[in-house]
PDB file of all heavy atoms in Angstrom:
ATOM      1  N   PHE A 145     134.934 -64.062 -15.378  1.00 99.00           N
ATOM      2  CA  PHE A 145     136.248 -63.420 -15.392  1.00 99.00           C
ATOM      3  C   PHE A 145     136.392 -62.470 -14.202  1.00 99.00           C
ATOM      4  O   PHE A 145     137.416 -62.484 -13.500  1.00 99.00           O
ATOM      5  CB  PHE A 145     136.459 -62.639 -16.694  1.00 99.00           C
ATOM      6  CG  PHE A 145     137.816 -61.990 -16.768  1.00 99.00           C
ATOM      7  CD1 PHE A 145     138.900 -62.680 -17.299  1.00 99.00           C
ATOM      8  CD2 PHE A 145     138.032 -60.708 -16.269  1.00 99.00           C
ATOM      9  CE1 PHE A 145     140.171 -62.102 -17.333  1.00 99.00           C
ATOM     10  CE2 PHE A 145     139.295 -60.122 -16.308  1.00 99.00           C
ATOM     11  CZ  PHE A 145     140.363 -60.820 -16.836  1.00 99.00           C
ATOM     12  N   GLU A 146     135.375 -61.655 -13.962  1.00 98.00           N
ATOM     13  CA  GLU A 146     135.483 -60.652 -12.902  1.00 98.00           C
ATOM     14  C   GLU A 146     135.497 -61.286 -11.516  1.00 98.00           C
ATOM     15  O   GLU A 146     136.079 -60.711 -10.586  1.00 98.00           O
ATOM     16  CB  GLU A 146     134.362 -59.618 -13.058  1.00 98.00           C
ATOM     17  CG  GLU A 146     134.518 -58.819 -14.355  1.00 98.00           C
ATOM     18  CD  GLU A 146     133.676 -57.566 -14.412  1.00 98.00           C
ATOM     19  OE1 GLU A 146     132.697 -57.448 -13.637  1.00 98.00           O
ATOM     20  OE2 GLU A 146     134.013 -56.680 -15.231  1.00 98.00           O
ATOM     21  N   GLU A 147     134.897 -62.454 -11.351  1.00 98.00           N
ATOM     22  CA  GLU A 147     135.004 -63.174 -10.078  1.00 98.00           C
ATOM     23  C   GLU A 147     136.455 -63.560  -9.792  1.00 98.00           C
ATOM     24  O   GLU A 147     136.892 -63.552  -8.643  1.00 98.00           O
ATOM     25  CB  GLU A 147     134.158 -64.445 -10.123  1.00 98.00           C
ATOM     26  CG  GLU A 147     132.678 -64.224  -9.951  1.00 98.00           C
ATOM     27  CD  GLU A 147     131.900 -65.532 -10.002  1.00 98.00           C
ATOM     28  OE1 GLU A 147     132.376 -66.503 -10.623  1.00 98.00           O
ATOM     29  OE2 GLU A 147     130.806 -65.583  -9.413  1.00 98.00           O
ATOM     30  N   HIS A 148     137.194 -63.898 -10.837  1.00 98.00           N
ATOM     31  CA  HIS A 148     138.564 -64.394 -10.674  1.00 98.00           C
ATOM     32  C   HIS A 148     139.623 -63.307 -10.794  1.00 98.00           C
ATOM     33  O   HIS A 148     140.677 -63.406 -10.160  1.00 98.00           O
ATOM     34  CB  HIS A 148     138.853 -65.484 -11.710  1.00 98.00           C
ATOM     35  CG  HIS A 148     138.150 -66.769 -11.453  1.00 98.00           C
ATOM     36  ND1 HIS A 148     138.703 -67.788 -10.699  1.00 98.00           N
ATOM     37  CD2 HIS A 148     136.921 -67.214 -11.831  1.00 98.00           C
ATOM     38  CE1 HIS A 148     137.852 -68.795 -10.628  1.00 98.00           C
ATOM     39  NE2 HIS A 148     136.771 -68.483 -11.309  1.00 98.00           N
ATOM     40  N   ARG A 149     139.377 -62.287 -11.614  1.00 98.00           N
ATOM     41  CA  ARG A 149     140.430 -61.323 -11.929  1.00 98.00           C
ATOM     42  C   ARG A 149     140.027 -59.863 -11.761  1.00 98.00           C
ATOM     43  O   ARG A 149     140.807 -58.969 -12.085  1.00 98.00           O
ATOM     44  CB  ARG A 149     140.899 -61.529 -13.374  1.00 98.00           C
ATOM     45  CG  ARG A 149     141.599 -62.870 -13.647  1.00 98.00           C
ATOM     46  CD  ARG A 149     142.976 -62.896 -13.003  1.00 98.00           C
ATOM     47  NE  ARG A 149     143.737 -64.057 -13.429  1.00 98.00           N
ATOM     48  CZ  ARG A 149     143.763 -65.216 -12.782  1.00 98.00           C
ATOM     49  NH1 ARG A 149     143.038 -65.364 -11.656  1.00 98.00           N
ATOM     50  NH2 ARG A 149     144.486 -66.229 -13.229  1.00 98.00           N
ATOM     51  N   GLY A 150     138.836 -59.593 -11.275  1.00 98.00           N
ATOM     52  CA  GLY A 150     138.420 -58.203 -11.132  1.00 98.00           C
ATOM     53  C   GLY A 150     137.906 -57.630 -12.444  1.00 98.00           C
ATOM     54  O   GLY A 150     137.668 -58.373 -13.395  1.00 98.00           O
ATOM     55  N   PRO A 151     137.708 -56.313 -12.511  1.00 98.00           N
ATOM     56  CA  PRO A 151     137.095 -55.693 -13.694  1.00 98.00           C
ATOM     57  C   PRO A 151     137.775 -56.091 -15.001  1.00 98.00           C
ATOM     58  O   PRO A 151     139.006 -56.128 -15.084  1.00 98.00           O
ATOM     59  CB  PRO A 151     137.262 -54.193 -13.428  1.00 98.00           C
ATOM     60  CG  PRO A 151     137.335 -54.083 -11.935  1.00 98.00           C
ATOM     61  CD  PRO A 151     138.057 -55.313 -11.476  1.00 98.00           C
ATOM     62  N   ILE A 152     136.962 -56.365 -16.003  1.00 98.00           N
ATOM     63  CA  ILE A 152     137.502 -56.804 -17.288  1.00 98.00           C
ATOM     64  C   ILE A 152     137.929 -55.635 -18.167  1.00 98.00           C
ATOM     65  O   ILE A 152     138.688 -55.826 -19.124  1.00 98.00           O
ATOM     66  CB  ILE A 152     136.477 -57.698 -18.031  1.00 98.00           C
ATOM     67  CG1 ILE A 152     137.183 -58.490 -19.139  1.00 98.00           C
ATOM     68  CG2 ILE A 152     135.304 -56.861 -18.560  1.00 98.00           C
ATOM     69  CD1 ILE A 152     136.339 -59.611 -19.728  1.00 98.00           C
ATOM     70  N   ALA A 153     137.474 -54.442 -17.840  1.00 98.00           N
ATOM     71  CA  ALA A 153     137.853 -53.255 -18.623  1.00 98.00           C
ATOM     72  C   ALA A 153     139.374 -53.124 -18.666  1.00 98.00           C
ATOM     73  O   ALA A 153     140.056 -53.249 -17.643  1.00 98.00           O
ATOM     74  CB  ALA A 153     137.235 -51.998 -18.016  1.00 98.00           C
ATOM     75  N   GLY A 154     139.918 -52.908 -19.865  1.00 98.00           N
ATOM     76  CA  GLY A 154     141.349 -52.736 -20.029  1.00 98.00           C
ATOM     77  C   GLY A 154     142.135 -54.031 -20.141  1.00 98.00           C
ATOM     78  O   GLY A 154     143.347 -54.000 -20.384  1.00 98.00           O
ATOM     79  N   LYS A 155     141.480 -55.174 -19.989  1.00 98.00           N
ATOM     80  CA  LYS A 155     142.167 -56.463 -20.107  1.00 98.00           C
ATOM     81  C   LYS A 155     142.253 -56.879 -21.577  1.00 98.00           C
ATOM     82  O   LYS A 155     141.697 -56.245 -22.462  1.00 98.00           O
ATOM     83  CB  LYS A 155     141.436 -57.541 -19.294  1.00 98.00           C
ATOM     84  CG  LYS A 155     141.277 -57.214 -17.823  1.00 98.00           C
ATOM     85  CD  LYS A 155     142.609 -57.137 -17.101  1.00 98.00           C
ATOM     86  CE  LYS A 155     142.397 -56.969 -15.597  1.00 98.00           C
ATOM     87  NZ  LYS A 155     143.671 -56.875 -14.859  1.00 98.00           N
ATOM     88  N   ARG A 156     142.939 -58.004 -21.826  1.00 98.00           N
ATOM     89  CA  ARG A 156     143.065 -58.499 -23.196  1.00 98.00           C
ATOM     90  C   ARG A 156     142.571 -59.933 -23.289  1.00 98.00           C
ATOM     91  O   ARG A 156     143.065 -60.824 -22.596  1.00 98.00           O
ATOM     92  CB  ARG A 156     144.511 -58.413 -23.692  1.00 98.00           C
ATOM     93  CG  ARG A 156     144.625 -58.699 -25.202  1.00 98.00           C
ATOM     94  CD  ARG A 156     145.958 -58.254 -25.764  1.00 98.00           C
ATOM     95  NE  ARG A 156     147.042 -59.130 -25.368  1.00 98.00           N
ATOM     96  CZ  ARG A 156     147.407 -60.222 -26.058  1.00 98.00           C
ATOM     97  NH1 ARG A 156     146.758 -60.559 -27.155  1.00 98.00           N
ATOM     98  NH2 ARG A 156     148.400 -60.970 -25.644  1.00 98.00           N
ATOM     99  N   VAL A 157     141.585 -60.127 -24.149  1.00 99.00           N
ATOM    100  CA  VAL A 157     140.986 -61.437 -24.396  1.00 99.00           C
ATOM    101  C   VAL A 157     141.487 -61.948 -25.742  1.00 99.00           C
ATOM    102  O   VAL A 157     141.488 -61.212 -26.731  1.00 99.00           O
ATOM    103  CB  VAL A 157     139.448 -61.341 -24.404  1.00 99.00           C
ATOM    104  CG1 VAL A 157     138.823 -62.675 -24.826  1.00 99.00           C
ATOM    105  CG2 VAL A 157     138.929 -60.907 -23.035  1.00 99.00           C
ATOM    106  N   VAL A 158     141.903 -63.206 -25.785  1.00 99.00           N
ATOM    107  CA  VAL A 158     142.368 -63.824 -27.030  1.00 99.00           C
ATOM    108  C   VAL A 158     141.453 -64.985 -27.378  1.00 99.00           C
ATOM    109  O   VAL A 158     141.273 -65.915 -26.581  1.00 99.00           O
ATOM    110  CB  VAL A 158     143.824 -64.321 -26.906  1.00 99.00           C
ATOM    111  CG1 VAL A 158     144.260 -65.001 -28.216  1.00 99.00           C
ATOM    112  CG2 VAL A 158     144.759 -63.162 -26.573  1.00 99.00           C
TER     113      VAL A 158
END
Side-chain angles (χ1 to χ4, degrees):
F145 181 89
E146 295 195 341
E147 283 180 334
H148 288 269
R149 294 289 189 267
I152 197 168
K155 303 295 187 181
R156 190 164 74 89
V157 173
V158 178

